[in-house]
Amino acid sequence: MNGNFAFADYFKKEAIEFAWELVTGSQDDGNYGFDPDKIWVTVYLDDDEAISYWRAVGVPDAHIQRRGLKDNYWHMGVPGPGGPCSEIYVDRGPEYGPDGGPIVDEDRFLEIWNLVFQTEELSAVRAKDDFDVLRPLPSKNIDTGMGLERTAYLLQGVNNMYEIDEIFPVIEHAAQIAGIRYGQDPAADVRLRVVGDHIRSSLMLMTDGVSPGNEARGYVLRRLLRRSLRSMRLLGVDSPVVSELLGVSREQMNTSYPEIDEQWTRVTQIADREETSFRRTISDGTKLFDMAVTDARSGGATVLSGERAFRLHDTYGFPIDLTLEMASEQGLDVDQTGFRTLMAEQKARAKADAKAKKGGAASTEAYTQLRREGETRFLGYTDLTADSRVLGIVANGQLVTSAQQGDTVEVVLAETPFYAEAGGQDADTGQLFGTGLAMDVVDVQKPVPGLYVHTVTLSDGQLAIGDSITAQVDAAARLGSCQAHSATHVVHAVLRDLLGPTATQAGSYNKPGYLRFDFSSSVGMSQAMREELEGLSNEAIRADLAVTTREMALDDAKSMGAMAMFGEKYGSVVRMVEMGGPWSRELCGGTHVERSSQIGLLSLLGEQSVGAGVRRVEAFVSQDAFSHLARERALVTNLTDMLKVQPDQLVERIERMLVQLKSAEKTINDLNVASALAQAGDLAAKAVDVEGITVLAQRVSVSGNDIRTLALDLRARLGADSVVCLIGGPDDKPSIVVATGEGARAKGVAAGKLVSVGAPVIGGRGGGKPDFAQGGGTNGAASLAALDAVVAAVRDGVRP
């Protein structure tokens, strides 16, 4: 999307003149060069002013059409700015549809640009053409949006955005791999377009630092990559292809985005790992799908249940359209209505969880209203105490005029020294107080940009709008936050020194005494590397590096090598934090120590994977780091005293003890197995005949792996026409296993179905394959009832 805004700078006349020049002006002058005779425009019904300006630049009346609110009035769909708009269309020619302008046909007459003339503020929006106007905007503004790829395919003379020069080479290459030609089969063309579009989108997301995951942008990337791979599979390609296709896209995109080349190694590593994972998912999902088909057919069904299709999708990542295709090949339909119902329920739960995490259903309208009065002035970089005035009070999402002792409310001040949670740094705590007033600040947030909202609990007095108060940050907690945040920058710089420039920040959290730092890496750190990370970080801390901040233009900061956090929104002017000069430069709005030595100490807790291509380190800082090391020293002292060894002999002694323990456990396990098998002869004699099948259903004293071993031994003793069901373990945690012989399975008896009958009776669940299945429960007292239910299920399930 191409776009630009103008706030009280110029309005309709200039916007129309600029648009006309760009759209129809000579390409030699950097314009698009569309034929003026092919340009049509639409305007709002009574916008005679816009029509006069279009006439002035040369658009004939025959190419100007008036349209109503639904087509030519723009708003955000929620309360906010809005106004009439004027849209620019290009006539593609009679082969694309009938003549008569956009009103007649919007396939032939294709919109490329919308000029929005923002003139008023809306207080309520019910539909595209149904809203209430609150008041005129204090200044008239321009908001324009042009379809970049739409414009590209019109200028390049191709039929759609998938055939433009940045996408089509990927499509051609994918077709070549699949051994087909683009344009011959409409269904195949759709799949090729999915590949072309999704591969490019995936390339750009990974270049920007995104890794595949199960949440937010990581989930979007995973879906894009997997849809690409699935489309190639549906085209008959089952070999690894994603890196090859990404390479083709790279060749088309790196001129415009040179950072692709800088991130290429990381991108291919992430993509290859995700492809391997998805191929494994397809393999595992296919096995589960085959089981679902077998179960459906054994029950005489011709439809695969929506629940099974949803389980394949939700639990195993098996795409629904692949389920539909494979079911069709097996002569089965899929209950798509049931699947969609379960998907809708899942989405509703996810939205409810997200809303709960954000603080429930409280509306942002109260904050928006307060923000209209101006920004909160933040003084916290230099001051921990400030005199201020109460501008607003919010209770349960609603504006109120006062609050009483004991109330917990949100307070907006004219200025504040309190840091609001942002950039991974926890919010400040402290107090607000005044004449007869005292309240504890427990949290500070910015629910809308520029507005600091303090969550407070009144311990004394009554608070009212307009009250003068003193805001005082907890100085000790602030110092702890500064130490942890600066330590985060140290860890980031050291990681990049150790692992290279691809170890970019993927997230962070710091609070007094603690930091957590996520970074891009597909390989875990060895013990030696973790020790080196901790050691080099403490060396940087002891080096007493100067920590300075500067405000500058975003482009200037990036040219100096300042690291930006992916996903953060930056303005044209940013705050750059330097540590040791060029050693560490990051865009950061957080609070920091003045010199690295003030961090004190860093003690690394560990390093682990938190998602595909993302690792995490955690550390204690300052006094918390010292306390952590002191606890570890005390632990070592206790162990050396207990084992009667010197500290340098402790690891060797524990390793020797673990070997001895493992040997003892094996001996005990062998004895348990021998004991279990010794019961087999007596148990086998208790088998009964049920409809021609030898059934043994018993409560036994063994559990764990031993009950499985016993069941399989009994099945072998009883022969092919046998079913063995055993329940073992303690009454509070019983386990159930079922093993079926080949002859029993041929008569329609499946272990997985029998476990699903018995397990619920003992208060649990289970599952498995037709030959062996297992489960667990919570009520061993119901074992006899569960065994009876399994025997009855064998009797009912036998096919003549």
Side-chain angles (χ1 to χ4, degrees), residues 447-739:
V448 295
L451 190 76
Y452 286 64
V453 176
H454 309 71
T455 300
V456 305
T457 299
L458 266 75
S459 56
D460 190 23
Q462 176 176 314
L463 180 69
I465 292 175
D467 282 351
S468 295
I469 59 96
T470 297
Q472 182 171 297
V473 174
D474 183 326
R478 167 63 78 83
L479 175 59
S481 292
C482 292
Q483 291 170 322
H485 202 154
S486 295
T488 302
H489 285 221
V490 169
V491 168
H492 190 188
V494 172
L495 279 169
R496 288 174 62 80
D497 285 345
L498 286 174
L499 304 179
T502 60
T504 55
Q505 182 174 352
S508 68
Y509 172 69
N510 51 79
K511 63 179 182 178
Y514 169 84
L515 72 84
R516 182 182 74 214
F517 186 80
D518 297 344
F519 60 99
S520 299
S521 178
S522 58
V523 181
M525 301 178 71
S526 65
Q527 176 62 30
M529 191 170 288
R530 291 197 293 271
E531 290 175 359
E532 192 172 7
L533 169 61
E534 183 180 69
L536 291 174
S537 295
N538 280 302
E539 284 184 17
I541 290 170
R542 289 195 300 273
D544 196 31
L545 304 174
V547 181
T548 60
T549 62
R550 283 191 281 170
E551 289 194 350
M552 61 178 63
L554 176 60
D555 290 341
D556 291 341
K558 287 185 175 180
S559 69
M560 294 178 67
M563 298 294 298
M565 173 62 182
F566 177 79
E568 288 290 322
K569 297 179 180 179
Y570 299 101
S572 57
V573 176
V574 294
R575 183 171 182 261
M576 184 177 74
V577 176
E578 285 187 310
M579 184 175 291
W583 182 68
S584 170
R585 284 178 174 152
E586 297 192 33
L587 303 185
C588 178
T591 62
H592 291 272
V593 296
E594 294 180 353
R595 305 193 70 84
S596 64
S597 60
Q598 293 171 352
I599 297 171
L601 181 68
L602 181 143
S603 176
L604 190 66
L605 295 177
E607 184 263 358
Q608 61 182 324
S609 171
V610 290
V614 179
R615 310 289 300 182
R616 171 176 292 171
V617 293
E618 295 178 274
F620 284 130
V621 177
S622 188
Q623 182 61 41
D624 291 78
F626 178 81
S627 298
H628 173 245
L629 293 175
R631 289 193 300 271
E632 288 198 335
R633 183 178 62 183
L635 176 62
V636 170
T637 300
N638 289 338
L639 287 173
T640 54
D641 289 346
M642 186 185 304
L643 299 176
K644 308 301 182 185
V645 297
Q646 294 300 312
D648 60 350
Q649 300 171 333
L650 185 60
V651 173
E652 181 183 351
R653 172 61 65 86
I654 291 176
E655 286 177 344
R656 188 162 64 247
M657 292 176 65
L658 288 175
V659 170
Q660 294 170 347
L661 178 61
K662 188 174 182 179
S663 176
E665 288 176 341
K666 185 177 185 304
T667 300
I668 293 171
N669 182 66
D670 291 344
L671 291 172
N672 286 337
V673 171
S675 175
L677 295 178
Q679 304 177 40
D682 293 338
L683 286 171
K686 298 178 181 180
V688 297
D689 182 270
V690 178
E691 300 293 335
I693 295 178
T694 303
V695 179
L696 176 64
Q698 291 290 318
R699 181 77 158 92
V700 294
S701 58
V702 295
S703 60
N705 287 332
D706 298 340
I707 193 173
R708 175 191 176 95
T709 301
L710 181 58
L712 294 176
D713 181 84
L714 286 167
R715 182 180 67 181
R717 290 171 183 257
L718 296 174
D721 292 332
S722 64
V723 171
V724 177
C725 177
L726 303 179
I727 297 179
D731 277 350
D732 63 338
K733 197 176 181 180
S735 56
I736 179 172
V737 298
V738 176

Side-chain angles (χ1 to χ4, degrees), residues 75-81 122 124-125:
H75 55 71
M76 299 186 297
V78 295
L122 312 184
V125 177

